[in-house]
Amino acid sequence: MNIQENIKDIVTSLPDKVRLVAVSKTKPVEYIEEAYAGGQRVFGENRPQEMVAKYSVLPKDIEWHMIGQLQVKNVKYIAPFVSLIHSVDSLKLLQKIEREAIKNERIIACLLEFRIAEEETKSGMTEEEAVLLLDSEEYRKMSHVRIVGVMGIATNSNDNEKIRLEFRHLHDIFVRLRDKYFYGNNDFCELSMGMSGDYKLAVKEGSTLVRIGSSIFGERVYNK
Ligand SMILES: *Cc1c(COP(=O)(O)O)cnc(C)c1O
């Protein structure tokens, strides 16, 4: 496995406007250093404590993206440095991010996560829940979070047509929310969709951020 070559192959296949989030969860710091040496600066993690441990020993110009489900009690660990939280799935979580962003005197960029797959286990909001969030008084009062787009995970399947429709659905949600809540606001521009197995489909459906792990760093091995 050659991490730098894997990244180069993926990046050269992506249109200019699509950015690669190299998903380094479960992988050692040395793998990230190798990717970094090849020029990669954006990394995705799904556990706050693991992200903090890696952040503390790696170069400070890395952009850290939280891509996994985030518990309210863990926001404080990543709030000082996280670049983008992909997985905002409730008003309660967003309120906590707002409070921690204020404490750290920074503005934290967030994506609203939608459940586009049919698997019940996948997290994310429905469009109705997002509308309630965006219409709420609590959200309107926030000053230290910036919602910059949407995120979704497609069904784990070999059925390309099904996956394509799920990505298209997320794209439609993105357009509706943009036109209703972010009209004329260029910050709302990110569509985070696509992983190792389906990013080519996601790019065709308008992805701007692909989150790729195993195609870069190899399969993940979980103990337990
Ligand atoms: C692990 C993970 C990825 C990367 O998955 P690969 O199939 O290894 O590319 C992308 N997005 C999320 C939310 C993940 O948890």
CSV table of all heavy atoms in Angstrom, one decimal, residues 88-91 112-117 120 122-134 150-151 169-170 173-174 176-177 181:
chain,number,residue,atom,x,y,z
A,88,VAL,N,-23.9,17.2,12.3
A,88,VAL,CA,-24.9,17.9,13.2
A,88,VAL,C,-26.3,17.3,12.9
A,88,VAL,O,-26.8,17.4,11.8
A,88,VAL,CB,-24.9,19.4,13.0
A,88,VAL,CG1,-26.0,20.0,13.8
A,88,VAL,CG2,-23.5,20.0,13.5
A,89,ASP,N,-26.9,16.6,13.9
A,89,ASP,CA,-28.1,16.0,13.7
A,89,ASP,C,-29.2,16.4,14.7
A,89,ASP,O,-30.3,15.7,14.7
A,89,ASP,CB,-28.0,14.5,13.7
A,89,ASP,CG,-27.4,13.9,15.0
A,89,ASP,OD1,-27.2,14.7,15.9
A,89,ASP,OD2,-27.2,12.7,15.1
A,90,SER,N,-29.0,17.5,15.4
A,90,SER,CA,-30.0,18.0,16.3
A,90,SER,C,-29.8,19.4,16.7
A,90,SER,O,-28.6,19.9,16.7
A,90,SER,CB,-30.1,17.1,17.6
A,90,SER,OG,-29.0,17.3,18.4
A,91,LEU,N,-30.8,20.1,17.1
A,91,LEU,CA,-30.7,21.4,17.6
A,91,LEU,C,-29.9,21.4,18.9
A,91,LEU,O,-29.1,22.3,19.1
A,91,LEU,CB,-32.1,22.0,17.9
A,91,LEU,CG,-32.1,23.5,18.5
A,91,LEU,CD1,-31.4,24.5,17.6
A,91,LEU,CD2,-33.5,23.9,18.8
A,112,LEU,N,-25.3,20.0,8.3
A,112,LEU,CA,-26.4,19.2,8.8
A,112,LEU,C,-26.4,17.8,8.2
A,112,LEU,O,-26.3,17.7,6.9
A,112,LEU,CB,-27.7,19.9,8.4
A,112,LEU,CG,-27.9,21.3,9.0
A,112,LEU,CD1,-29.2,21.9,8.5
A,112,LEU,CD2,-27.9,21.3,10.5
A,113,GLU,N,-26.5,16.8,9.0
A,113,GLU,CA,-26.5,15.4,8.5
A,113,GLU,C,-27.9,14.9,8.3
A,113,GLU,O,-28.7,15.0,9.2
A,113,GLU,CB,-25.7,14.5,9.5
A,113,GLU,CG,-25.7,13.1,8.9
A,113,GLU,CD,-24.9,12.1,9.8
A,113,GLU,OE1,-24.3,12.5,10.8
A,113,GLU,OE2,-24.9,10.9,9.4
A,114,PHE,N,-28.1,14.3,7.1
A,114,PHE,CA,-29.4,13.8,6.8
A,114,PHE,C,-29.3,12.3,6.6
A,114,PHE,O,-28.3,11.7,6.1
A,114,PHE,CB,-29.9,14.4,5.5
A,114,PHE,CG,-30.3,15.8,5.7
A,114,PHE,CD1,-29.3,16.8,5.5
A,114,PHE,CD2,-31.5,16.2,6.1
A,114,PHE,CE1,-29.7,18.2,5.7
A,114,PHE,CE2,-31.9,17.5,6.4
A,114,PHE,CZ,-30.9,18.5,6.1
A,115,ARG,N,-30.4,11.6,7.0
A,115,ARG,CA,-30.4,10.2,6.9
A,115,ARG,C,-31.0,9.9,5.5
A,115,ARG,O,-32.2,10.0,5.3
A,115,ARG,CB,-31.3,9.5,8.0
A,115,ARG,CG,-31.1,8.0,8.0
A,115,ARG,CD,-31.7,7.4,9.3
A,115,ARG,NE,-33.1,7.5,9.3
A,115,ARG,CZ,-33.9,6.6,8.7
A,115,ARG,NH1,-33.3,5.5,8.0
A,115,ARG,NH2,-35.2,6.7,8.7
A,116,ILE,N,-30.2,9.5,4.5
A,116,ILE,CA,-30.6,9.3,3.2
A,116,ILE,C,-30.7,7.8,2.8
A,116,ILE,O,-31.3,7.4,1.9
A,116,ILE,CB,-29.7,10.0,2.1
A,116,ILE,CG1,-28.3,9.6,2.3
A,116,ILE,CG2,-29.9,11.5,2.2
A,116,ILE,CD1,-27.4,10.1,1.2
A,117,ALA,N,-30.1,7.0,3.7
A,117,ALA,CA,-30.1,5.5,3.5
A,117,ALA,C,-31.3,5.0,4.1
A,117,ALA,O,-31.9,5.6,5.0
A,117,ALA,CB,-28.8,4.9,4.0
A,120,GLU,N,-31.9,1.8,9.3
A,120,GLU,CA,-32.4,2.5,10.5
A,120,GLU,C,-31.2,2.9,11.3
A,120,GLU,O,-31.3,3.8,12.1
A,120,GLU,CB,-33.3,1.7,11.3
A,120,GLU,CG,-34.8,1.6,10.7
A,120,GLU,CD,-35.5,2.9,10.6
A,120,GLU,OE1,-35.2,3.8,11.5
A,120,GLU,OE2,-36.3,3.1,9.7
A,122,LYS,N,-28.4,4.2,10.5
A,122,LYS,CA,-27.6,5.4,10.1
A,122,LYS,C,-28.3,6.6,10.8
A,122,LYS,O,-29.5,6.7,10.9
A,122,LYS,CB,-27.7,5.5,8.6
A,122,LYS,CG,-27.0,4.3,7.8
A,122,LYS,CD,-25.6,4.7,7.4
A,122,LYS,CE,-24.7,3.5,7.1
A,122,LYS,NZ,-25.0,2.8,5.8
A,123,SER,N,-27.4,7.5,11.2
A,123,SER,CA,-27.9,8.7,11.9
A,123,SER,C,-28.3,9.8,10.9
A,123,SER,O,-28.1,9.6,9.7
A,123,SER,CB,-26.9,9.2,12.9
A,123,SER,OG,-25.6,9.3,12.2
A,124,GLY,N,-28.8,10.9,11.4
A,124,GLY,CA,-29.1,12.0,10.5
A,124,GLY,C,-30.5,12.4,10.7
A,124,GLY,O,-31.4,11.6,11.1
A,125,MET,N,-30.8,13.6,10.2
A,125,MET,CA,-32.2,14.2,10.4
A,125,MET,C,-33.0,13.9,9.1
A,125,MET,O,-32.5,13.6,8.1
A,125,MET,CB,-32.1,15.7,10.5
A,125,MET,CG,-31.4,16.2,11.8
A,125,MET,SD,-31.4,18.0,11.9
A,125,MET,CE,-30.0,18.3,10.9
A,126,THR,N,-34.3,14.2,9.3
A,126,THR,CA,-35.2,14.3,8.1
A,126,THR,C,-35.2,15.7,7.7
A,126,THR,O,-34.8,16.6,8.5
A,126,THR,CB,-36.6,13.8,8.5
A,126,THR,OG1,-37.1,14.7,9.4
A,126,THR,CG2,-36.6,12.4,9.0
A,127,GLU,N,-35.7,16.0,6.5
A,127,GLU,CA,-35.8,17.3,6.0
A,127,GLU,C,-36.7,18.2,7.0
A,127,GLU,O,-36.4,19.3,7.2
A,127,GLU,CB,-36.3,17.4,4.6
A,127,GLU,CG,-36.1,18.7,4.0
A,127,GLU,CD,-36.4,18.7,2.5
A,127,GLU,OE1,-36.5,17.6,1.9
A,127,GLU,OE2,-36.5,19.8,1.9
A,128,GLU,N,-37.8,17.5,7.4
A,128,GLU,CA,-38.7,18.2,8.3
A,128,GLU,C,-38.0,18.7,9.6
A,128,GLU,O,-38.2,19.8,10.1
A,128,GLU,CB,-39.9,17.3,8.7
A,128,GLU,CG,-40.8,17.1,7.5
A,128,GLU,CD,-40.3,16.1,6.5
A,128,GLU,OE1,-39.4,15.3,6.8
A,128,GLU,OE2,-40.7,16.2,5.3
A,129,GLU,N,-37.2,17.8,10.2
A,129,GLU,CA,-36.5,18.1,11.4
A,129,GLU,C,-35.5,19.3,11.1
A,129,GLU,O,-35.3,20.2,12.0
A,129,GLU,CB,-35.7,16.9,11.9
A,129,GLU,CG,-36.6,15.9,12.5
A,129,GLU,CD,-35.9,14.5,12.8
A,129,GLU,OE1,-35.0,14.2,12.1
A,129,GLU,OE2,-36.4,13.8,13.6
A,130,ALA,N,-34.8,19.3,10.0
A,130,ALA,CA,-33.9,20.4,9.7
A,130,ALA,C,-34.6,21.7,9.5
A,130,ALA,O,-34.2,22.7,10.0
A,130,ALA,CB,-33.1,20.0,8.4
A,131,VAL,N,-35.8,21.6,8.9
A,131,VAL,CA,-36.6,22.9,8.8
A,131,VAL,C,-37.0,23.4,10.1
A,131,VAL,O,-36.9,24.6,10.4
A,131,VAL,CB,-37.9,22.6,7.9
A,131,VAL,CG1,-38.9,23.6,8.0
A,131,VAL,CG2,-37.4,22.4,6.4
A,132,LEU,N,-37.4,22.5,11.0
A,132,LEU,CA,-37.7,23.0,12.4
A,132,LEU,C,-36.5,23.7,13.1
A,132,LEU,O,-36.6,24.7,13.7
A,132,LEU,CB,-38.2,21.8,13.3
A,132,LEU,CG,-39.6,21.3,13.0
A,132,LEU,CD1,-39.9,20.1,13.8
A,132,LEU,CD2,-40.6,22.4,13.3
A,133,LEU,N,-35.4,23.0,12.9
A,133,LEU,CA,-34.1,23.6,13.5
A,133,LEU,C,-33.9,25.0,12.9
A,133,LEU,O,-33.6,25.9,13.6
A,133,LEU,CB,-33.0,22.6,13.2
A,133,LEU,CG,-31.6,22.9,13.7
A,133,LEU,CD1,-30.7,21.7,13.8
A,133,LEU,CD2,-30.8,24.0,12.9
A,134,LEU,N,-33.9,25.1,11.6
A,134,LEU,CA,-33.5,26.3,10.9
A,134,LEU,C,-34.6,27.4,11.2
A,134,LEU,O,-34.2,28.6,11.1
A,134,LEU,CB,-33.4,26.1,9.4
A,134,LEU,CG,-32.2,25.2,9.0
A,134,LEU,CD1,-32.3,24.7,7.6
A,134,LEU,CD2,-30.9,26.0,9.3
A,150,VAL,N,-24.6,20.3,3.8
A,150,VAL,CA,-25.2,19.1,4.2
A,150,VAL,C,-24.3,17.9,4.0
A,150,VAL,O,-23.4,17.9,3.2
A,150,VAL,CB,-26.6,18.9,3.5
A,150,VAL,CG1,-27.5,20.1,3.7
A,150,VAL,CG2,-26.3,18.5,2.0
A,151,MET,N,-24.6,16.8,4.8
A,151,MET,CA,-23.9,15.6,4.7
A,151,MET,C,-24.8,14.4,4.7
A,151,MET,O,-25.9,14.5,5.3
A,151,MET,CB,-22.9,15.5,5.9
A,151,MET,CG,-22.0,14.3,5.9
A,151,MET,SD,-22.7,12.9,6.9
A,151,MET,CE,-21.2,12.3,7.7
A,169,HIS,N,-31.2,12.7,-3.8
A,169,HIS,CA,-32.1,13.1,-2.8
A,169,HIS,C,-31.4,14.2,-1.9
A,169,HIS,O,-31.9,15.2,-1.5
A,169,HIS,CB,-32.6,11.9,-2.0
A,169,HIS,CG,-33.5,12.3,-0.8
A,169,HIS,ND1,-33.7,11.5,0.3
A,169,HIS,CD2,-34.3,13.3,-0.7
A,169,HIS,CE1,-34.6,12.0,1.1
A,169,HIS,NE2,-35.0,13.2,0.6
A,170,LEU,N,-30.2,13.8,-1.5
A,170,LEU,CA,-29.4,14.8,-0.6
A,170,LEU,C,-29.2,16.1,-1.4
A,170,LEU,O,-29.3,17.2,-0.8
A,170,LEU,CB,-28.1,14.1,-0.2
A,170,LEU,CG,-27.3,15.0,0.8
A,170,LEU,CD1,-28.1,15.2,2.1
A,170,LEU,CD2,-25.9,14.3,1.2
A,173,ILE,N,-32.3,18.1,-1.2
A,173,ILE,CA,-32.4,18.8,0.1
A,173,ILE,C,-31.5,20.0,0.2
A,173,ILE,O,-32.0,21.1,0.6
A,173,ILE,CB,-32.1,17.8,1.2
A,173,ILE,CG1,-33.1,16.7,1.3
A,173,ILE,CG2,-32.0,18.5,2.6
A,173,ILE,CD1,-32.8,15.5,2.3
A,174,PHE,N,-30.3,19.8,-0.3
A,174,PHE,CA,-29.3,20.9,-0.3
A,174,PHE,C,-29.9,22.1,-1.0
A,174,PHE,O,-29.8,23.3,-0.5
A,174,PHE,CB,-28.0,20.4,-0.9
A,174,PHE,CG,-27.0,21.5,-1.2
A,174,PHE,CD1,-26.2,22.0,-0.2
A,174,PHE,CD2,-26.9,22.0,-2.5
A,174,PHE,CE1,-25.3,23.1,-0.4
A,174,PHE,CE2,-26.0,23.0,-2.7
A,174,PHE,CZ,-25.2,23.6,-1.7
A,176,ARG,N,-33.0,22.9,-1.8
A,176,ARG,CA,-34.2,23.5,-1.2
A,176,ARG,C,-33.8,24.3,0.0
A,176,ARG,O,-34.3,25.4,0.2
A,176,ARG,CB,-35.2,22.4,-0.8
A,176,ARG,CG,-36.0,21.8,-1.9
A,176,ARG,CD,-37.2,21.0,-1.5
A,176,ARG,NE,-36.8,19.7,-0.9
A,176,ARG,CZ,-36.7,18.6,-1.6
A,176,ARG,NH1,-36.9,18.5,-2.9
A,176,ARG,NH2,-36.3,17.5,-1.0
A,177,LEU,N,-32.9,23.8,0.9
A,177,LEU,CA,-32.5,24.5,2.1
A,177,LEU,C,-31.8,25.8,1.7
A,177,LEU,O,-31.9,26.9,2.3
A,177,LEU,CB,-31.7,23.7,3.0
A,177,LEU,CG,-32.4,22.5,3.6
A,177,LEU,CD1,-31.4,21.7,4.5
A,177,LEU,CD2,-33.6,22.8,4.4
A,181,TYR,N,-33.2,29.1,3.1
A,181,TYR,CA,-32.6,29.7,4.3
A,181,TYR,C,-31.3,30.4,4.0
A,181,TYR,O,-30.8,31.1,4.9
A,181,TYR,CB,-32.4,28.6,5.3
A,181,TYR,CG,-33.7,28.0,5.8
A,181,TYR,CD1,-34.2,26.8,5.3
A,181,TYR,CD2,-34.4,28.6,6.8
A,181,TYR,CE1,-35.4,26.3,5.7
A,181,TYR,CE2,-35.6,28.1,7.3
A,181,TYR,CZ,-36.1,26.9,6.7
A,181,TYR,OH,-37.2,26.4,7.2
